[in-house]
Amino acid sequence: MGYYIRVLGRNDVPIAVASLRACLPLYPKVEIHEENSNQEGWSQLILRHIGGPDIALVERNPVIPGELGADEIGEFVDEVQDALPASAAKWLTRYFASVTVIYAFQLLNGTDVKNGWSAVHVLKSYIWKQVGGILQADMEGFSNEQGHHILWQFSEGVEGEWSVAVLDPDEKWVAFTMDLGDLDHRRAFLDGTVPPGVTGTAKN
Protein backbone atom coordinates (compact mmCIF):
# COMPACT_ATOMS: atom_id res chain seq x y z
CA MET A 1 0.00 0.00 0.00
CA GLY A 2 1.29 3.44 -0.93
CA TYR A 3 0.68 6.84 0.62
CA TYR A 4 -2.40 8.64 -0.69
CA ILE A 5 -3.94 12.07 -0.55
CA ARG A 6 -7.45 12.53 -1.90
CA VAL A 7 -9.98 15.07 -3.08
CA LEU A 8 -13.51 13.97 -2.18
CA GLY A 9 -15.56 16.04 -4.61
CA ARG A 10 -19.24 16.94 -4.60
CA ASN A 11 -19.42 17.93 -8.29
CA ASP A 12 -18.32 15.24 -10.73
CA VAL A 13 -17.70 17.62 -13.62
CA PRO A 14 -15.54 16.55 -16.59
CA ILE A 15 -11.91 17.64 -16.25
CA ALA A 16 -10.00 17.40 -19.51
CA VAL A 17 -6.42 16.14 -19.47
CA ALA A 18 -5.50 19.18 -21.56
CA SER A 19 -6.70 21.52 -18.78
CA LEU A 20 -4.64 19.61 -16.22
CA ARG A 21 -1.56 19.92 -18.41
CA ALA A 22 -2.21 23.64 -18.81
CA CYS A 23 -2.28 24.21 -15.03
CA LEU A 24 1.11 22.61 -14.37
CA PRO A 25 3.94 24.86 -13.17
CA LEU A 26 6.88 25.82 -15.37
CA TYR A 27 9.16 24.42 -12.67
CA PRO A 28 9.64 21.62 -11.96
CA LYS A 29 9.42 20.44 -15.58
CA VAL A 30 6.75 17.73 -15.46
CA GLU A 31 4.34 15.97 -17.78
CA ILE A 32 1.09 14.01 -17.56
CA HIS A 33 0.81 10.60 -19.18
CA GLU A 34 -2.72 9.25 -19.68
CA GLU A 35 -2.74 5.65 -18.47
CA ASN A 36 -6.41 4.71 -18.80
CA SER A 37 -9.40 6.40 -20.40
CA ASN A 38 -12.84 5.54 -21.75
CA GLN A 39 -15.88 7.25 -23.24
CA GLU A 40 -16.62 8.85 -19.86
CA GLY A 41 -13.15 10.40 -19.66
CA TRP A 42 -9.85 9.49 -18.05
CA SER A 43 -9.62 7.25 -15.01
CA GLN A 44 -5.88 7.09 -14.39
CA LEU A 45 -2.94 9.44 -15.03
CA ILE A 46 0.76 9.48 -14.22
CA LEU A 47 2.37 12.77 -13.19
CA ARG A 48 6.11 12.52 -13.82
CA HIS A 49 9.24 14.56 -14.18
CA ILE A 50 10.27 14.87 -17.82
CA GLY A 51 12.77 12.06 -18.19
CA GLY A 52 11.56 10.49 -14.90
CA PRO A 53 10.96 9.56 -12.19
CA ASP A 54 7.18 9.27 -11.67
CA ILE A 55 5.76 11.71 -9.12
CA ALA A 56 2.20 10.49 -8.56
CA LEU A 57 -0.42 8.10 -9.87
CA VAL A 58 -3.75 9.94 -10.07
CA GLU A 59 -6.98 7.93 -10.13
CA ARG A 60 -10.49 9.24 -10.73
CA ASN A 61 -13.15 7.10 -9.04
CA PRO A 62 -16.84 8.11 -9.36
CA VAL A 63 -18.92 7.14 -6.34
CA ILE A 64 -21.15 4.52 -7.93
CA PRO A 65 -22.65 1.57 -6.01
CA GLY A 66 -20.54 -1.54 -6.42
CA GLU A 67 -17.45 0.33 -7.64
CA LEU A 68 -14.23 1.48 -5.97
CA GLY A 69 -15.36 5.03 -5.17
CA ALA A 70 -18.40 3.80 -3.22
CA ASP A 71 -16.28 1.17 -1.48
CA GLU A 72 -13.84 3.87 -0.35
CA ILE A 73 -16.67 6.00 1.05
CA GLY A 74 -17.90 2.98 3.03
CA GLU A 75 -14.41 2.45 4.42
CA PHE A 76 -14.15 6.11 5.41
CA VAL A 77 -17.50 5.97 7.21
CA ASP A 78 -16.24 3.03 9.28
CA GLU A 79 -12.84 4.63 9.82
CA VAL A 80 -14.07 7.89 11.36
CA GLN A 81 -16.61 6.47 13.80
CA ASP A 82 -14.19 6.35 16.76
CA ALA A 83 -12.02 9.27 15.64
CA LEU A 84 -11.81 12.67 17.34
CA PRO A 85 -13.11 15.28 17.60
CA ALA A 86 -16.42 13.43 17.81
CA SER A 87 -18.27 16.43 16.37
CA ALA A 88 -16.07 16.34 13.25
CA ALA A 89 -16.56 12.57 12.91
CA LYS A 90 -20.34 13.04 12.95
CA TRP A 91 -20.10 15.91 10.45
CA LEU A 92 -17.98 13.79 8.11
CA THR A 93 -20.33 10.82 8.36
CA ARG A 94 -23.15 13.04 7.11
CA TYR A 95 -20.97 14.74 4.53
CA PHE A 96 -19.73 11.54 2.86
CA ALA A 97 -23.23 10.96 1.45
CA SER A 98 -22.78 14.04 -0.78
CA VAL A 99 -19.47 12.95 -2.32
CA THR A 100 -19.82 11.99 -5.99
CA VAL A 101 -16.20 11.48 -7.07
CA ILE A 102 -12.82 10.73 -5.47
CA TYR A 103 -9.50 11.81 -6.95
CA ALA A 104 -6.76 9.73 -5.32
CA PHE A 105 -3.10 10.72 -5.58
CA GLN A 106 -0.65 7.93 -4.80
CA LEU A 107 2.64 9.67 -4.07
CA LEU A 108 5.66 8.04 -5.72
CA ASN A 109 9.44 8.49 -5.52
CA GLY A 110 9.46 11.58 -7.72
CA THR A 111 7.53 13.57 -5.12
CA ASP A 112 10.77 14.18 -3.22
CA VAL A 113 12.86 14.83 -6.34
CA LYS A 114 13.32 18.27 -7.91
CA ASN A 115 10.43 19.77 -5.96
CA GLY A 116 7.95 17.24 -7.30
CA TRP A 117 5.61 17.90 -4.39
CA SER A 118 4.85 21.39 -5.74
CA ALA A 119 3.49 19.87 -8.96
CA VAL A 120 1.27 17.53 -6.91
CA HIS A 121 -0.01 20.51 -4.93
CA VAL A 122 -0.85 22.50 -8.08
CA LEU A 123 -2.67 19.56 -9.68
CA LYS A 124 -4.59 18.69 -6.50
CA SER A 125 -5.61 22.33 -5.97
CA TYR A 126 -6.82 22.66 -9.55
CA ILE A 127 -8.96 19.52 -9.31
CA TRP A 128 -10.32 20.59 -5.90
CA LYS A 129 -11.36 23.95 -7.35
CA GLN A 130 -13.31 22.18 -10.10
CA VAL A 131 -15.11 19.55 -8.02
CA GLY A 132 -15.30 21.18 -4.59
CA GLY A 133 -15.58 19.03 -1.49
CA ILE A 134 -13.05 18.11 1.15
CA LEU A 135 -9.51 16.73 1.38
CA GLN A 136 -8.06 13.59 2.98
CA ALA A 137 -4.48 12.49 3.64
CA ASP A 138 -3.35 9.11 4.94
CA MET A 139 -2.01 9.23 8.52
CA GLU A 140 -3.22 12.82 8.90
CA GLY A 141 -7.00 13.01 8.54
CA PHE A 142 -9.68 15.06 6.78
CA SER A 143 -10.29 18.71 6.03
CA ASN A 144 -13.50 20.72 5.75
CA GLU A 145 -14.52 22.54 2.56
CA GLN A 146 -12.26 25.46 3.43
CA GLY A 147 -9.22 23.19 3.67
CA HIS A 148 -8.87 23.39 7.47
CA HIS A 149 -7.93 20.12 9.13
CA ILE A 150 -10.82 18.75 11.22
CA LEU A 151 -10.08 15.12 12.22
CA TRP A 152 -7.06 13.78 14.10
CA GLN A 153 -5.37 10.76 12.50
CA PHE A 154 -1.77 11.79 13.11
CA SER A 155 0.90 9.73 14.84
CA GLU A 156 1.67 10.54 18.48
CA GLY A 157 5.04 12.12 17.70
CA VAL A 158 3.78 14.68 15.20
CA GLU A 159 4.94 18.30 15.61
CA GLY A 160 4.57 21.67 13.90
CA GLU A 161 1.93 24.31 13.29
CA TRP A 162 -1.25 23.24 11.49
CA SER A 163 -4.34 25.04 10.22
CA VAL A 164 -7.35 23.37 11.84
CA ALA A 165 -11.01 23.99 12.65
CA VAL A 166 -13.58 22.78 15.16
CA LEU A 167 -17.37 23.07 15.17
CA ASP A 168 -19.02 25.53 17.55
CA PRO A 169 -22.45 24.85 19.15
CA ASP A 170 -24.15 26.40 16.10
CA GLU A 171 -22.42 23.94 13.74
CA LYS A 172 -20.16 26.66 12.34
CA TRP A 173 -16.46 26.07 11.82
CA VAL A 174 -14.00 28.00 13.97
CA ALA A 175 -10.55 28.02 12.39
CA PHE A 176 -7.25 28.48 14.21
CA THR A 177 -3.59 27.49 14.07
CA MET A 178 -2.53 24.82 16.55
CA ASP A 179 0.82 23.42 17.57
CA LEU A 180 0.45 19.69 16.90
CA GLY A 181 3.13 18.84 19.46
CA ASP A 182 1.60 20.94 22.24
CA LEU A 183 -0.37 18.54 24.46
CA ASP A 184 -2.75 21.25 25.69
CA HIS A 185 -3.52 22.23 22.09
CA ARG A 186 -3.95 18.59 21.20
CA ARG A 187 -6.34 17.86 24.08
CA ALA A 188 -8.47 20.89 23.24
CA PHE A 189 -8.67 19.96 19.56
CA LEU A 190 -9.60 16.36 20.35
CA ASP A 191 -12.37 17.73 22.59
CA GLY A 192 -13.57 19.89 19.70
CA THR A 193 -12.61 23.21 21.30
CA VAL A 194 -10.19 26.06 20.67
CA PRO A 195 -7.17 25.87 23.04
CA PRO A 196 -7.00 28.52 25.79
CA GLY A 197 -5.05 31.56 24.67
CA VAL A 198 -5.56 30.78 20.96
CA THR A 199 -7.77 33.02 18.82
CA GLY A 200 -10.24 31.28 16.55
CA THR A 201 -11.97 32.74 13.49
CA ALA A 202 -15.55 31.75 12.70
CA LYS A 203 -16.18 30.39 9.18
CA ASN A 204 -19.45 29.56 7.45
Side-chain angles (χ1 to χ4, degrees):
M1 292 292 291
Y3 179 81
Y4 286 84
I5 59 175
R6 296 173 177 87
V7 177
L8 280 64
R10 300 185 75 175
N11 307 304
D12 188 13
V13 296
I15 301 178
V17 176
S19 67
L20 296 177
R21 290 184 174 124
C23 84
L24 293 174
L26 296 177
Y27 181 82
K29 294 184 181 300
V30 298
E31 61 185 353
I32 290 176
H33 179 69
E34 194 169 351
E35 289 285 295
N36 194 9
S37 62
N38 53 44
Q39 62 182 3
E40 296 180 356
W42 63 271
S43 59
Q44 193 173 90
L45 305 173
I46 290 284
L47 175 66
R48 63 165 57 110
H49 293 284
I50 294 177
D54 293 348
I55 300 170
L57 171 66
V58 186
E59 298 177 338
R60 173 186 171 273
N61 296 309
V63 179
I64 298 172
E67 298 194 7
L68 180 58
D71 291 344
E72 283 198 293
I73 291 296
E75 291 173 3
F76 287 144
V77 170
D78 292 340
E79 181 182 314
V80 305
Q81 295 310 303
D82 296 323
L84 296 173
S87 56
K90 292 176 182 177
W91 183 89
L92 283 165
T93 300
R94 297 192 302 269
Y95 191 92
F96 289 144
S98 69
V99 174
T100 62
V101 64
I102 299 174
Y103 286 85
F105 293 70
Q106 182 183 4
L107 304 188
L108 305 174
N109 292 340
T111 304
D112 296 321
V113 176
K114 295 181 288 188
N115 204 27
W117 174 250
S118 68
V120 174
H121 177 73
V122 168
L123 199 61
K124 180 198 71 173
S125 297
Y126 180 83
I127 290 172
W128 185 28
K129 184 176 181 179
Q130 307 310 307
V131 302
I134 61 177
L135 306 175
Q136 182 271 343
D138 289 351
M139 297 180 288
E140 292 183 5
F142 292 82
S143 82
N144 60 14
E145 290 185 322
Q146 291 76 42
H148 300 296
H149 198 87
I150 62 171
L151 196 78
W152 184 278
Q153 292 181 318
F154 293 103
S155 65
E156 284 299 312
V158 67
E159 296 180 342
E161 291 190 343
W162 213 255
S163 178
V164 302
V166 294
L167 283 170
D168 70 11
D170 296 322
E171 290 281 300
K172 293 185 181 297
W173 292 108
V174 179
F176 60 97
T177 299
M178 71 172 285
D179 179 350
L180 297 175
D182 185 308
L183 295 184
D184 290 333
H185 283 202
R186 190 179 298 188
R187 279 191 288 267
F189 177 76
L190 294 176
D191 285 341
T193 61
V194 179
V198 174
T199 301
T201 303
K203 303 287 184 180
N204 292 329

